[in-house]
Amino acid sequence: MDIFKANNIEKHFGNTIALNEVSINVPEGSIYGLLGPNGAGKTTLLRIINQILAPDKGELFFFNRKLKSDDIFQIGYLPEERGLYKKMKVGEQALYLAQLKGVPKKEALKKLKYWFEKFEIQTWWNKKIEELSKGMQQKIQFIITILHGPALIIFDEPFSGFDPINTSLLKKEVLSLRDKGATIIFSTHDMASVEELCDHITLINKSKTILEGKINDIRNTYKSNTFEIGYKGSPEKVKSLPAGDFELVGHMIEDNTNYARIKVNKSLKKNELLALLIPEIQITSFRELLPNMNEIFIKVVEKYQDITN
Amino acid sequence: MNKIVLIVKREYLTRVRKKAFIIMTLIGPILFAAFLIIPAWLATVEDKEEKIIAVIEYSDKDTPVPDSLKQFFDVLTNKDNLKFEYIGYTSLEVLKSTLEHSKYFGILHIPHNVINSEVVELYTKREPSLNMEMHITKSLEKYIHNVKLRKLNIPVEVLNTVRTNIKLKTIKLEKGKYEEKDLKNLRRGVGYAAGFLIYFYIFFFGAQVMRGVIEEKTNRIVELIVSSVRPFQLMMGKIVGIGLLGLTQFVAWIILTFAIVTIAQEVLLEKNSIQNARKITPESIIDAKPVTQQHSKADNKVAEFEGILNKIKGIDFIVMISIFIFYFLGGYILYGSLFAAIGSVVDSETDTQQFMLPVTIPLIISIFVMINAFMNPSGKIAVWFSIIPLTSPIVMMARIPFDVPLTEVITSMVILVLTFLGTTWFAGKIYKTGILMYGKKVNYREIWKWLRYKI
C-alpha cells in the first residue's frame, strides 16, 4: 500500500513554476529518495507534503484518503533550513516542539527521557542550545523530528553537518525506524547514501519528475550490459574477442588476478560471452556492472537538459 | 487553538524570565517613584542643618534699635531649622565683620524706612535656600501689609470681607451635562497619559514582535514550527504573548510605583508633615485674622477638595477604561501584525529600515495630532485622525475625555476592527511567504508579488 500519494501537483510562485505535474507514490515501509539538482523543486514538494504550502493543482493522499490538516501529527519533518531557539534550554525546547506536534506533556517527557538515554545526552537537558556544537544540535533535531512517533518521516539533507561516526549512527537509526514500520522520505544530494538506504526514488529536475521507480529497476534500466570478469590466464585471449559484439572498456590486475570490463552488444546474451571465454581462461568471478546512482543522476539530468534546450 | 496557547505561553515565559525584562520592570517603578518622591523629599531634607539669622533693626540711619523698641520683634518666627535672633545695640558693620566666625548663618538688616522702601537686606555665608527667602519675605510682607492698613484705619476684618478673588468656572452646557475647568484639566491629563501609554506600548512591544520573528528566521527554527502549526497561529501567538508581556510590565510598574511611593512617603515625609501641621497653629494666631474667618476658609477648601473628588468619581471610569483597553489592544494588534510582517521579510534587523518608515510615520503623526487635539478636541483634524485607523488609537484617547459623539466613537472602533482584521490577514500573507525566504533582498515590488501568491 502507498502511505502517501501526490497526484499531478502543480505549484506556481507568481510567474515561476516550482512544480509541474509532479506525482509521487511512497510505498508504506519504504525509504523513498527524493533527488534532484538544486532548485529543482524538492523543498517545495516537501513543504507541500507538510502542508506548509498548498498546491495550486493536484491531489494529496495519506493512507489512501485525502490529506487533512490533522495528518501533520503523523508526519515528522526535518527541514534543510533547520535550527533551534538558541537561548532556550534543550529539554524545554524539545518538550515545546513535541507538544506542538500534539504529544501530551507527560508522554513527551517520557519519550524524551528514552531518547536522551539512548543517545547518552541526559546532561544536555538544562543546557542552552547555543552551548552545544552543531553536531549535538543535529542530534537534538533528529530526536524532535521522530519523537511523536510519526508514520511518515521526512528528512531533508539529514546528514549535512554530521561527522562520519554520527552519520553512521543516524543511518542505523533511520533503518531501525523503517524496520519498526515507519516510512521515510529522504531528500539528499548524497548519492552514496541513496544507494545505501533507499528502496524507491524520484528524480525531479526543473520542476518535473524525470525518473521514478524502484532503485534496482532503475539501475537495471540504465545498465550498459557491461560485465566484469576476474580471471587467471593470458589477457591476449580476452583482448581478441570479436570486435563487433564485444568491447573491452577496461582492464586491470589486482592480487595476481586480471579484471576485464567488457561491454556486450545488447543483442547477445551474457552466456555467449562466457561460452567464448571458458575454454581460454580460468574465470574466478563474473558480475554485471550496474551504474551507480551518481552516474544515473548526472546522465538523466544532462539528457533532460539536452532535450529541453 | 490549543497550539496558540502553547505558543503564547512560550513567547511569554521565555521573555518574562529574561534578565533585561526583570531589571526593566524593577527599575521603572524606582525611577517613577523617584520622580514623584525626590522633589518633595529634597524640599524637606535640604534644611536639616540649623541656620540662625541675626536680625538687626535700625530706627534711623545709624542707630540699631534696642530690643524693647523693636517693631519687627516676633514678626519672623522660627520655622523648621531656621531660627531668628534679635540683636540690639550692635551695628550692622560689626556684625558683618564678625559673621565669618560667628554662629550665625546670615544677618537680616531691616532698615528704618522699610515700610516705604520695601527693601530689606540679607547677608549670608552661603547661598540662602529658596525656602528661607520665601519665609522671610512672606512674614515681612504680611506684617507690613497690616501695618499699612492700621495706618489707614482699616480693620483687618473689613479688608478680609472686601478682598475678592474671582475664580472662573467654565461650564459647557450640553444635554444637561456640565463640566468645570478643574475637571477638564484632569481629563486632559488622563487622555494624555492614555495616548502616550498606547504610543509607547505599540513602539516598544511592536518592535519586540519584529525582533522575535527575525530571531526565528535567523535561527532557522521557523520551518520546523510551521510544519506543526499554521504560520498565522505562530504570528498571532507571538503578538498575543508579547502583548501580555507588556501588560504584565505595565501592571507591575503601576503596583510597584504605588508601593514604593507609599513606603517612601511613610519613611521620608511623614515626620515633616506632622511638624508642618503643628506649625500652622502658632502662625495663624500671629496672623491677625479672626478665628471664624479662618475656619470658614479652611472649610471652603475642604469642600472644594471634596467637590473635585466627587467630580473625579463622576467621570465614567468604566467607560473610559473599556475604551482605553479597546484602543490599546486594537492599536497594538494592528501595528503588531505589521511589525511581524516586517520581521518576516528581512534576514536581520539592519534590513528593516526601509519597511519601518511607513509604520512609524503614522505613529509619530498620531502624537502630534494628539497634542493638537487637547487644544481643540472637536476640531476637524482631531476628528479625522481619530477615525483613521492607523492614528485613531492614540488620537481618540485625547478626545475621549471630552464627550465625543457616540457615532464617531463607534465609527472609529468599527473601522479599527476592520482594519486590524485586514492588516493581520495582509501581514499573515506576507509573513507566510517571508519566513521561508532566506538570503533574498526583498523590496516592495517583491512583497506585492507575494500578496498574489496562493499559499
Side-chain angles (χ1 to χ4, degrees):
Chain A
M1 190 190 77
D2 290 339
I3 188 172
F4 192 89
K5 257 196 257 191
N7 289 344
N8 302 318
I9 299 299
E10 244 185 82
K11 180 74 192 169
H12 300 257
F13 293 112
N15 293 328
T16 36
I17 185 155
L19 291 173
N20 189 3
E21 302 262 317
V22 169
S23 300
I24 60 168
N25 300 296
V26 184
E28 195 172 359
S30 67
I31 297 182
Y32 194 97
L34 189 61
L35 319 179
N38 293 325
K42 291 181 308 241
T43 300
T44 304
L45 181 60
L46 294 182
R47 284 175 178 170
I48 285 172
I49 299 172
N50 280 290
Q51 301 181 57
I52 294 169
L53 300 175
D56 297 341
K57 261 190 210 162
E59 287 174 312
L60 299 157
F61 295 93
F62 190 59
F63 284 114
N64 285 332
R65 51 162 178 73
K66 281 211 167 171
L67 184 71
K68 53 182 175 33
S69 59
D70 279 358
D71 291 336
I72 49 168
F73 296 139
Q74 294 194 62
I75 299 178
Y77 179 37
L78 184 69
E80 184 179 9
E81 292 283 2
R82 54 180 171 257
L84 296 162
Y85 290 113
K86 287 197 171 67
K87 305 268 175 203
M88 226 175 151
K89 284 178 182 163
V90 173
E92 208 180 353
Q93 181 151 209
L95 199 60
Y96 169 65
L97 293 167
Q99 281 177 290
L100 284 186
K101 274 287 185 191
V103 186
K105 197 173 173 180
K106 265 191 187 165
E107 205 186 318
L109 270 171
K110 222 170 76 187
K111 285 185 171 173
L112 279 171
K113 210 181 147 216
Y114 167 80
W115 280 102
F116 273 59
E117 273 168 17
K118 183 163 185 174
F119 282 177
E120 294 172 351
I121 55 171
Q122 297 99 312
T123 51
W124 297 2
W125 188 269
N126 272 323
K127 280 191 179 161
K128 283 183 182 168
I129 289 290
E130 60 187 356
E131 297 169 43
L132 303 182
S133 73
K134 202 179 170 201
M136 287 162 147
Q137 294 184 28
Q138 297 268 39
K139 270 190 190 169
I140 303 289
Q141 268 159 343
F142 179 81
I143 295 173
I144 288 166
T145 310
I146 56 166
L147 194 82
H148 57 291
L152 178 64
I153 308 169
I154 298 162
F155 293 112
D156 197 351
E157 291 292 352
F159 305 125
S160 68
F162 273 101
D163 60 43
I165 294 169
N166 280 322
T167 304
S168 86
L169 176 79
L170 231 64
K171 277 182 183 166
K172 229 172 72 191
E173 284 306 327
V174 169
L175 288 171
S176 101
L177 284 168
R178 194 260 321 263
D179 295 341
K180 282 177 194 154
T183 309
I184 288 142
I185 296 180
F186 183 40
S187 165
T188 185
H189 289 125
D190 177 19
M191 291 304 145
S193 57
V194 170
E195 276 170 41
E196 192 182 336
L197 296 172
C198 295
D199 320 314
H200 288 69
I201 63 136
T202 277
L203 177 56
I204 298 176
N205 186 35
K206 292 188 174 171
S207 70
K208 277 194 121 123
T209 312
I210 53 174
L211 190 64
E212 201 208 346
K214 279 190 181 170
I215 201 156
N216 289 334
D217 296 349
I218 290 170
R219 290 178 72 178
N220 276 318
T221 318
Y222 283 86
K223 69 184 178 187
S224 51
N225 266 17
T226 308
F227 299 89
E228 189 182 77
I229 300 154
Y231 66 95
K232 291 199 161 87
S234 165
E236 291 308 311
K237 303 286 174 195
V238 179
K239 284 175 183 164
S240 62
L241 286 167
D245 294 333
F246 306 100
E247 186 192 343
L248 188 68
V249 291
H251 194 275
M252 59 180 181
I253 302 167
E254 207 180 276
D255 295 338
N256 290 327
T257 309
N258 297 315
Y259 291 95
R261 293 188 168 182
I262 298 159
K263 199 172 173 180
V264 180
N265 192 317
K266 271 187 186 149
S267 58
L268 297 171
K269 286 180 185 150
K270 54 188 171 190
N271 281 3
E272 293 179 47
L273 173 66
L274 285 174
L276 281 169
L277 290 173
I278 284 168
E280 312 289 342
I281 53 176
Q282 184 194 345
I283 292 172
T284 55
S285 67
F286 179 78
R287 67 184 181 104
E288 184 167 16
L289 287 177
L290 289 177
N292 62 30
M293 283 311 296
N294 209 30
E295 290 163 351
I296 297 174
F297 184 98
I298 293 166
K299 195 171 171 184
V300 173
V301 170
E302 277 175 354
K303 195 175 118 198
Y304 185 77
Q305 234 110 8
D306 291 342
I307 295 168
T308 48
N309 288 342
Chain B
M1 208 53 214
N2 195 18
K3 286 184 189 170
I4 288 199
V5 175
L6 276 173
I7 295 166
V8 168
K9 240 167 84 182
R10 194 204 81 85
E11 297 293 336
Y12 181 84
L13 287 178
T14 51
R15 284 183 175 79
V16 91
R17 289 185 304 210
K18 269 188 189 161
K19 275 193 203 108
F21 179 81
I22 295 169
I23 290 168
M24 268 292 279
T25 309
L26 295 179
I27 284 181
I30 293 172
L31 288 178
F32 298 145
F35 267 117
L36 296 171
I37 285 286
I38 285 180
W41 179 69
L42 273 184
T44 64
V45 157
E46 192 180 319
D47 275 334
K48 275 276 145 72
E49 182 200 346
E50 195 178 63
K51 286 171 184 159
I52 306 169
I53 306 285
V55 182
I56 179 168
E57 199 180 323
Y58 273 61
S59 62
D60 55 45
K61 269 182 189 160
D62 303 312
T63 337
V65 180
D67 284 2
S68 54
L69 293 172
K70 275 201 173 111
Q71 200 190 353
F72 288 88
F73 195 77
D74 267 355
V75 166
L76 292 155
T77 52
N78 296 346
K79 190 190 177 195
D80 300 336
N81 298 304
L82 184 60
K83 302 255 156 46
F84 295 96
E85 271 184 37
Y86 296 90
I87 292 170
Y89 301 116
T90 317
S91 75
L92 177 64
E93 294 313 312
V94 173
L95 280 174
K96 268 160 80 177
S97 60
T98 55
L99 179 64
E100 189 64 39
H101 303 290
S102 71
K103 61 173 180 173
Y104 301 117
F105 176 79
I107 308 155
L108 182 68
H109 169 224
I110 304 174
H112 68 284
N113 62 344
V114 65
I115 307 260
N116 298 321
S117 71
E118 295 180 1
V119 174
V120 291
E121 290 169 329
L122 180 66
Y123 301 92
T124 55
K125 287 181 190 167
R126 280 172 280 123
E127 190 69 22
S129 73
L130 194 64
N131 277 342
M132 185 192 286
E133 288 178 25
M134 290 250 300
H135 180 66
I136 291 169
T137 51
K138 286 278 175 229
S139 305
L140 292 174
E141 267 172 15
K142 202 192 280 175
Y143 178 78
I144 293 170
H145 178 78
N146 287 344
V147 169
K148 284 181 179 169
L149 287 177
R150 250 176 270 137
K151 264 191 187 162
L152 296 167
N153 267 332
I154 303 169
V156 178
E157 297 86 341
V158 173
L159 185 82
N160 278 340
T161 46
V162 293
R163 183 183 284 155
T164 1
N165 190 359
I166 302 288
K167 281 180 190 155
L168 185 67
K169 290 185 172 182
T170 60
I171 296 152
K172 186 176 71 178
L173 281 175
E174 193 190 18
K175 292 171 203 154
K177 288 180 187 171
Y178 69 93
E179 189 167 62
E180 289 168 24
K181 188 145 191 189
D182 288 347
L183 193 53
K184 208 169 184 175
N185 278 330
L186 181 83
R187 292 186 161 207
R188 200 171 272 170
V190 171
Y192 193 73
F196 250 107
L197 208 58
I198 294 178
Y199 173 80
F200 172 77
Y201 193 86
I202 288 175
F203 244 122
F204 193 78
F205 292 96
Q208 286 222 23
V209 171
M210 185 180 81
R211 244 173 270 135
V213 174
I214 296 173
E215 186 206 356
E216 273 167 3
K217 237 186 119 169
T218 49
N219 281 354
R220 298 286 194 266
I221 194 176
V222 70
E223 189 161 354
L224 199 66
I225 294 177
V226 296
S227 72
S228 308
V229 304
R230 304 214 167 283
F232 191 75
Q233 289 176 313
L234 178 61
M235 187 180 89
M236 285 317 286
K238 191 174 280 299
I239 292 172
V240 173
I242 291 172
L244 290 177
L245 182 83
L247 227 47
T248 308
Q249 189 158 67
F250 278 123
V251 172
W253 276 354
I254 289 165
I255 293 172
L256 286 176
T257 306
F258 188 74
I260 292 173
V261 168
T262 315
I263 292 166
Q265 260 178 338
E266 290 285 317
V267 174
L268 297 173
L269 298 179
E270 204 192 27
K271 262 190 194 167
N272 284 88
S273 57
I274 290 168
Q275 274 175 4
N276 286 342
R278 278 199 203 119
K279 275 274 153 57
I280 289 166
T281 343
E283 253 180 357
S284 43
I285 289 165
I286 290 158
D287 195 359
K289 283 173 196 163
V291 178
T292 48
Q293 198 93 26
Q294 288 215 352
H295 260 289
S296 69
K297 216 175 176 188
D299 283 348
N300 273 347
K301 271 195 176 154
V302 170
E304 209 174 295
F305 184 66
E306 276 180 353
I308 289 176
L309 268 185
N310 284 334
K311 280 165 206 155
I312 290 174
K313 284 175 195 155
I315 301 179
D316 206 338
F317 270 105
I318 293 176
V319 172
M320 279 275 285
I321 288 173
S322 337
I323 290 175
F324 170 74
I325 289 174
F326 179 89
Y327 279 103
F328 188 79
L329 293 178
Y332 169 72
I333 294 173
L334 193 162
Y335 278 98
S337 60
L338 293 178
F339 275 114
I342 294 173
S344 75
V345 300
V346 298
D347 279 334
S348 73
E349 217 175 318
T350 46
D351 298 336
T352 57
Q353 300 286 339
Q354 57 163 330
F355 302 110
M356 285 291 278
L357 206 62
V359 179
T360 49
I361 282 176
L363 275 174
I364 290 162
I365 290 174
S366 306
I367 284 292
F368 284 117
V369 176
M370 179 179 82
I371 292 162
N372 171 286
F374 285 123
M375 304 301 137
N376 191 3
S378 43
K380 258 192 186 151
I381 293 179
V383 171
W384 277 109
F385 279 88
S386 66
I387 286 173
I388 295 170
L390 284 171
T391 54
S392 70
I394 292 166
V395 176
M396 191 53 109
M397 282 291 85
R399 293 189 63 213
I400 271 300
F402 303 103
D403 293 324
V404 182
L406 193 62
T407 46
E408 283 179 23
V409 179
I410 290 174
T411 315
S412 159
M413 284 181 157
V414 169
I415 291 176
L416 182 61
V417 170
L418 291 178
T419 312
F420 83 59
L421 289 178
T423 50
T424 45
W425 172 85
F426 164 86
K429 261 197 116 147
I430 295 173
Y431 181 84
K432 265 195 266 188
T433 312
I435 49 173
L436 298 174
M437 206 70 81
Y438 299 112
K440 194 170 177 180
K441 277 267 183 223
V442 176
N443 52 28
Y444 284 107
R445 234 179 76 185
E446 183 74 25
I447 293 175
W448 177 243
K449 267 201 278 178
W450 296 358
L451 287 174
R452 289 177 300 160
Y453 285 2
K454 275 194 288 169
I455 295 287

